């Protein structure tokens, strides 16, 4: 007797609070069978609209068996035109070798268009999700790009062009993380794009917003019960900062005597560090002879 394999159920992508995640596209999605892009950032989708009267589509996306790529790497990130598929986290992992073989001679990367073409040819993948990718229209903002080519993947699609009163709601979506825990392991928090581990410290890369503009913040985090000094290998000098609160500091280029950091509840946080610099953490058992930071 021959049994048919049960088709996997479509699952709507959700945020970390369990609510359906909203994705946007700055034009219609006609001819979806050739593959269409949706992204997590309303403002970026709006830039692709071309003409004011064109629609801005908001939709939920349901998937069965997606290809998931994390565009963040140990020392940097990938853009939509240059995905470093050899180094990115990828699910299912067994697809990596096939995807690498799709790279053209003389290149080390694939574009999202090439990944889409490859995924559609596999027959067993029904969507591509690229997290933390940078778009050409906004290279400083990490977003989600989702590519689909079947109408069934789109849920509750609507045109939100002209709904000015809801723009703020749309923009807050960029801060939220998509729950991809069943595909790529690792606990996530809203606003935290990636965490880079160092020797005795880690750096949180977060997305922040000032007024209507988004920007990236890099915050060095050290768990210690003792005062510390922070030496930067890249500048061959100590990192200096002013104290903003208990255990929280803001990096500055002035006041060079302020090089001791006092922990609060076992933690020191220094905002404004550079993304890829390397640091050495020096434990100070005493602050005698040192000039601790002043408020």
């Amino acid at each position: 007797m021959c049994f048919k394999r049960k088709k996997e159920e479509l699952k709507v992508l959700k945020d970390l609070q369990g609510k359906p995640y909203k994705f946007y596209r700055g034009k219609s999605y006609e001819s979806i069978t050739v593959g269409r892009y949706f992204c997590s950032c309303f403002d970026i989708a709006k830039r692709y609209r071309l003409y004011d009267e064109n629609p801005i589509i908001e939709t939920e996306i349901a998937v069965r068996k997606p290809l998931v790529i994390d565009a963040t790497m140990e020392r940097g990130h990938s853009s939509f035109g240059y995905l470093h598929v050899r180094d990115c986290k990828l699910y299912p992992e067994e697809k990596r070798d096939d995807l690498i073989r799709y790279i053209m001679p003389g290149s080390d990367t694939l574009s999202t268009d090439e990944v889409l073409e490859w995924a559609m040819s596999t027959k067993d993948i029904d969507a591509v999700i690229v997290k933390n990718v940078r778009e050409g229209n906004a290279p400083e903002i990490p977003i989600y790009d989702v590519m689909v080519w079947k109408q069934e993947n789109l849920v509750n699609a609507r045109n939100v062009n002209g709904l000015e009163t809801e723009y703020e709601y749309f923009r807050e979506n960029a801060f939220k993380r998509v729950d991809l825990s069943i595909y790529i392991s690792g606990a996530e928090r809203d606003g935290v794009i990636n965490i880079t581990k160092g020797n005795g410290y880690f750096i949180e890369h977060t997305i922040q917003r000032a007024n209507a503009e988004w920007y990236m913040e890099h915050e060095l985090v050290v768990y210690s019960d003792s005062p510390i000094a922070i030496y930067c290998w890249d500048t061959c000098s100590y990192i200096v900062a002013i104290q903003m609160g208990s255990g929280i500091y803001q990096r500055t280029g002035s006041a060079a005597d302020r090089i001791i950091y006092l922990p609060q509840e076992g933690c020191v946080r220094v905002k404004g560090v550079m993304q890829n610099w390397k640091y050495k953490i020096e434990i100070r058992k005493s602050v005698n002879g040192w000039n601790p930071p002043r408020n």
Side-chain angles (χ1 to χ4, degrees):
M1 185 180 291
C2 181
F3 292 95
K4 249 187 184 180
R5 187 175 178 181
K6 187 178 179 181
K7 198 172 185 180
E8 293 184 57
E9 181 184 355
L10 277 167
K11 296 179 181 177
V12 172
L13 295 173
K14 297 182 178 181
D15 62 23
L16 299 182
Q17 289 73 44
K19 296 179 180 178
Y21 199 98
K22 306 296 185 181
F23 296 90
Y24 300 93
R25 175 176 172 81
K27 58 186 78 170
S28 72
Y29 52 88
E30 294 175 357
S31 304
I32 193 172
T33 54
V34 300
R36 289 293 181 244
Y37 289 77
F38 296 82
C39 75
S40 58
C41 183
F42 171 82
D43 288 315
I44 291 178
K46 184 179 176 182
R47 296 176 199 179
Y48 281 102
R49 182 178 45 170
L50 299 181
Y51 302 104
D52 290 346
E53 63 272 17
N54 281 354
I56 302 175
I57 303 301
E58 177 193 76
T59 187
E60 299 161 18
I61 294 180
V63 298
R64 285 194 173 92
K65 191 174 181 182
L67 174 74
V68 182
I69 300 173
D70 187 344
T72 303
M73 301 173 297
E74 179 64 25
R75 290 184 66 85
H77 57 263
S78 295
S79 68
F80 75 108
Y82 303 94
L83 289 174
H84 296 265
V85 294
R86 288 188 174 92
D87 304 313
C88 295
K89 291 180 182 177
L90 187 145
Y91 171 91
E93 176 61 37
E94 61 266 22
K95 296 292 186 182
R96 189 186 301 274
D97 288 343
D98 287 343
L99 194 54
I100 288 173
R101 281 194 285 270
Y102 214 71
I103 297 175
M104 296 293 290
S107 176
D108 291 324
T109 62
L110 288 174
S111 69
T112 48
D113 285 342
E114 290 171 321
V115 172
L116 172 61
E117 183 181 328
W118 172 85
M120 292 177 66
S121 72
T122 65
K123 305 302 182 185
D124 61 340
I125 289 173
D126 73 321
V128 177
I129 303 169
V130 186
K131 61 178 288 191
N132 299 332
V133 68
R134 269 63 164 184
E135 278 280 1
N137 278 353
E140 73 284 358
I141 303 175
I143 64 171
Y144 293 90
D145 265 345
V146 181
M147 296 160 256
V148 295
W149 46 95
K150 292 182 180 179
Q151 186 67 41
E152 67 176 3
N153 294 105
L154 304 184
V155 180
N156 297 325
R158 64 172 182 151
N159 180 12
V160 295
N161 186 12
L163 302 182
E164 301 283 350
T165 57
E166 297 190 31
Y167 277 8
E168 285 305 304
Y169 164 76
F170 297 148
R171 290 190 174 108
E172 287 305 315
N173 194 69
F175 178 79
K176 291 182 175 292
R177 301 275 83 196
V178 179
D179 186 359
L180 298 174
S181 57
I182 62 174
Y183 307 117
I184 292 182
S185 61
E188 292 200 88
R189 303 198 314 274
D190 282 338
V192 179
I193 302 304
N194 189 43
I195 295 177
T196 302
K197 294 182 180 179
N199 186 12
Y201 67 89
F202 59 89
I203 298 176
E204 284 187 353
H205 312 287
T206 64
I207 187 168
Q208 304 287 337
R209 184 181 173 199
N211 299 320
E213 297 298 322
W214 294 97
Y215 66 95
M216 290 296 297
E217 174 76 81
H218 309 289
E219 185 172 341
L220 187 145
V221 182
V222 182
Y223 287 109
S224 173
D225 290 317
S226 302
I228 63 171
I230 303 171
Y231 183 82
C232 179
W233 293 109
D234 294 82
T235 63
C236 298
S237 62
Y238 285 92
I239 295 296
V240 297
I242 57 175
Q243 189 168 9
M244 308 300 292
S246 298
I248 300 174
Y249 301 83
Q250 179 70 45
R251 176 177 167 265
T252 178
S254 61
D257 59 331
R258 301 181 180 184
I259 57 176
I260 286 292
Y261 299 87
L262 303 177
Q264 177 70 20
E265 297 181 352
C267 183
V268 169
R269 290 180 172 269
V270 183
K271 299 177 181 292
V273 300
M274 298 300 291
Q275 178 178 358
N276 295 321
W277 283 1
K278 299 296 183 182
Y279 303 94
K280 179 175 70 172
I281 308 302
E282 299 178 356
I283 303 297
R284 302 292 174 176
K285 299 299 182 183
S286 170
V287 296
N288 292 337
W290 289 79
N291 207 358
R294 300 182 294 273
N295 286 322

